[in-house]
PDB file of all heavy atoms in Angstrom:
ATOM      1  N   ALA R  37      80.516  -9.190  14.221  1.00 98.00           N
ATOM      2  CA  ALA R  37      80.795  -8.236  15.278  1.00 98.00           C
ATOM      3  C   ALA R  37      79.651  -8.493  16.462  1.00 98.00           C
ATOM      4  O   ALA R  37      80.106  -8.447  17.640  1.00 98.00           O
ATOM      5  CB  ALA R  37      80.708  -6.766  14.779  1.00 98.00           C
ATOM      6  N   VAL R  47      81.091 -14.653  28.470  1.00 98.00           N
ATOM      7  CA  VAL R  47      82.308 -15.153  29.166  1.00 98.00           C
ATOM      8  C   VAL R  47      82.653 -14.360  30.401  1.00 98.00           C
ATOM      9  O   VAL R  47      82.682 -14.890  31.508  1.00 98.00           O
ATOM     10  CB  VAL R  47      83.440 -15.107  28.115  1.00 98.00           C
ATOM     11  CG1 VAL R  47      84.777 -15.612  28.929  1.00 98.00           C
ATOM     12  CG2 VAL R  47      83.206 -16.063  27.042  1.00 98.00           C
ATOM     13  N   HIS R  89      68.509 -15.016  53.869  1.00 97.00           N
ATOM     14  CA  HIS R  89      67.434 -15.786  53.916  1.00 97.00           C
ATOM     15  C   HIS R  89      67.579 -17.379  53.660  1.00 97.00           C
ATOM     16  O   HIS R  89      66.758 -18.084  53.588  1.00 97.00           O
ATOM     17  CB  HIS R  89      66.387 -15.216  52.845  1.00 97.00           C
ATOM     18  CG  HIS R  89      65.926 -13.845  53.242  1.00 97.00           C
ATOM     19  ND1 HIS R  89      65.110 -13.420  54.230  1.00 97.00           N
ATOM     20  CD2 HIS R  89      66.359 -12.651  52.810  1.00 97.00           C
ATOM     21  CE1 HIS R  89      64.863 -12.293  54.255  1.00 97.00           C
ATOM     22  NE2 HIS R  89      65.747 -11.686  53.486  1.00 97.00           N
ATOM     23  N   PRO R  94      76.443 -23.881  47.499  1.00 97.00           N
ATOM     24  CA  PRO R  94      77.524 -24.589  46.856  1.00 97.00           C
ATOM     25  C   PRO R  94      78.128 -23.714  45.815  1.00 97.00           C
ATOM     26  O   PRO R  94      77.468 -22.787  45.251  1.00 97.00           O
ATOM     27  CB  PRO R  94      76.922 -25.853  46.286  1.00 97.00           C
ATOM     28  CG  PRO R  94      75.484 -25.761  46.479  1.00 97.00           C
ATOM     29  CD  PRO R  94      75.134 -24.675  47.392  1.00 97.00           C
ATOM     30  N   TYR R 117      67.572  -8.789  21.114  1.00 98.00           N
ATOM     31  CA  TYR R 117      68.601  -9.999  21.281  1.00 98.00           C
ATOM     32  C   TYR R 117      68.278 -11.180  20.429  1.00 98.00           C
ATOM     33  O   TYR R 117      69.068 -11.903  19.902  1.00 98.00           O
ATOM     34  CB  TYR R 117      68.839 -10.388  22.736  1.00 98.00           C
ATOM     35  CG  TYR R 117      69.591  -9.428  23.520  1.00 98.00           C
ATOM     36  CD1 TYR R 117      69.026  -8.757  24.586  1.00 98.00           C
ATOM     37  CD2 TYR R 117      70.905  -9.035  23.206  1.00 98.00           C
ATOM     38  CE1 TYR R 117      69.819  -7.780  25.385  1.00 98.00           C
ATOM     39  CE2 TYR R 117      71.552  -8.157  23.978  1.00 98.00           C
ATOM     40  CZ  TYR R 117      71.034  -7.471  25.028  1.00 98.00           C
ATOM     41  OH  TYR R 117      71.695  -6.653  25.746  1.00 98.00           O
ATOM     42  N   ARG R 156      57.048 -11.065  28.401  1.00 97.00           N
ATOM     43  CA  ARG R 156      56.461 -10.048  29.150  1.00 97.00           C
ATOM     44  C   ARG R 156      56.438 -10.390  30.525  1.00 97.00           C
ATOM     45  O   ARG R 156      56.682  -9.550  31.385  1.00 97.00           O
ATOM     46  CB  ARG R 156      55.002  -9.988  28.643  1.00 97.00           C
ATOM     47  CG  ARG R 156      54.081 -10.994  29.157  1.00 97.00           C
ATOM     48  CD  ARG R 156      52.899 -11.135  28.409  1.00 97.00           C
ATOM     49  NE  ARG R 156      52.977 -11.603  27.083  1.00 97.00           N
ATOM     50  CZ  ARG R 156      52.007 -11.956  26.289  1.00 97.00           C
ATOM     51  NH1 ARG R 156      50.750 -11.767  26.522  1.00 97.00           N
ATOM     52  NH2 ARG R 156      52.230 -12.507  25.018  1.00 97.00           N
ATOM     53  N   SER R 180      83.242   6.068  54.534  1.00 85.00           N
ATOM     54  CA  SER R 180      84.252   5.110  55.127  1.00 85.00           C
ATOM     55  C   SER R 180      84.039   5.007  56.734  1.00 85.00           C
ATOM     56  O   SER R 180      84.328   4.064  57.258  1.00 85.00           O
ATOM     57  CB  SER R 180      85.598   5.398  54.778  1.00 85.00           C
ATOM     58  OG  SER R 180      85.925   6.672  55.056  1.00 85.00           O
ATOM     59  N   HIS R 212      53.797  -2.253  25.163  1.00 97.00           N
ATOM     60  CA  HIS R 212      52.450  -2.780  24.976  1.00 97.00           C
ATOM     61  C   HIS R 212      51.641  -2.746  26.416  1.00 97.00           C
ATOM     62  O   HIS R 212      50.452  -2.518  26.345  1.00 97.00           O
ATOM     63  CB  HIS R 212      52.600  -4.261  24.662  1.00 97.00           C
ATOM     64  CG  HIS R 212      51.332  -4.988  24.405  1.00 97.00           C
ATOM     65  ND1 HIS R 212      50.674  -4.672  23.312  1.00 97.00           N
ATOM     66  CD2 HIS R 212      50.586  -5.875  25.166  1.00 97.00           C
ATOM     67  CE1 HIS R 212      49.473  -5.372  23.290  1.00 97.00           C
ATOM     68  NE2 HIS R 212      49.467  -6.101  24.340  1.00 97.00           N
ATOM     69  N   THR R 255      80.881  -1.519  35.679  1.00 98.00           N
ATOM     70  CA  THR R 255      80.573  -1.463  37.073  1.00 98.00           C
ATOM     71  C   THR R 255      81.258  -2.584  37.972  1.00 98.00           C
ATOM     72  O   THR R 255      81.811  -2.372  38.881  1.00 98.00           O
ATOM     73  CB  THR R 255      79.002  -1.424  37.170  1.00 98.00           C
ATOM     74  OG1 THR R 255      78.532  -0.411  36.418  1.00 98.00           O
ATOM     75  CG2 THR R 255      78.613  -1.116  38.637  1.00 98.00           C
ATOM     76  N   LEU R 257      83.682  -4.422  37.018  1.00 98.00           N
ATOM     77  CA  LEU R 257      85.174  -4.465  36.987  1.00 98.00           C
ATOM     78  C   LEU R 257      85.722  -3.393  37.857  1.00 98.00           C
ATOM     79  O   LEU R 257      86.717  -3.558  38.680  1.00 98.00           O
ATOM     80  CB  LEU R 257      85.619  -4.077  35.396  1.00 98.00           C
ATOM     81  CG  LEU R 257      87.079  -4.042  35.102  1.00 98.00           C
ATOM     82  CD1 LEU R 257      87.567  -5.560  35.293  1.00 98.00           C
ATOM     83  CD2 LEU R 257      87.224  -3.681  33.673  1.00 98.00           C
TER      84      LEU R 257
END
Side-chain angles (χ1 to χ4, degrees):
V47 171
H89 302 279
Y117 286 117
R156 76 197 73 168
S180 55
H212 185 73
T255 308
L257 188 62

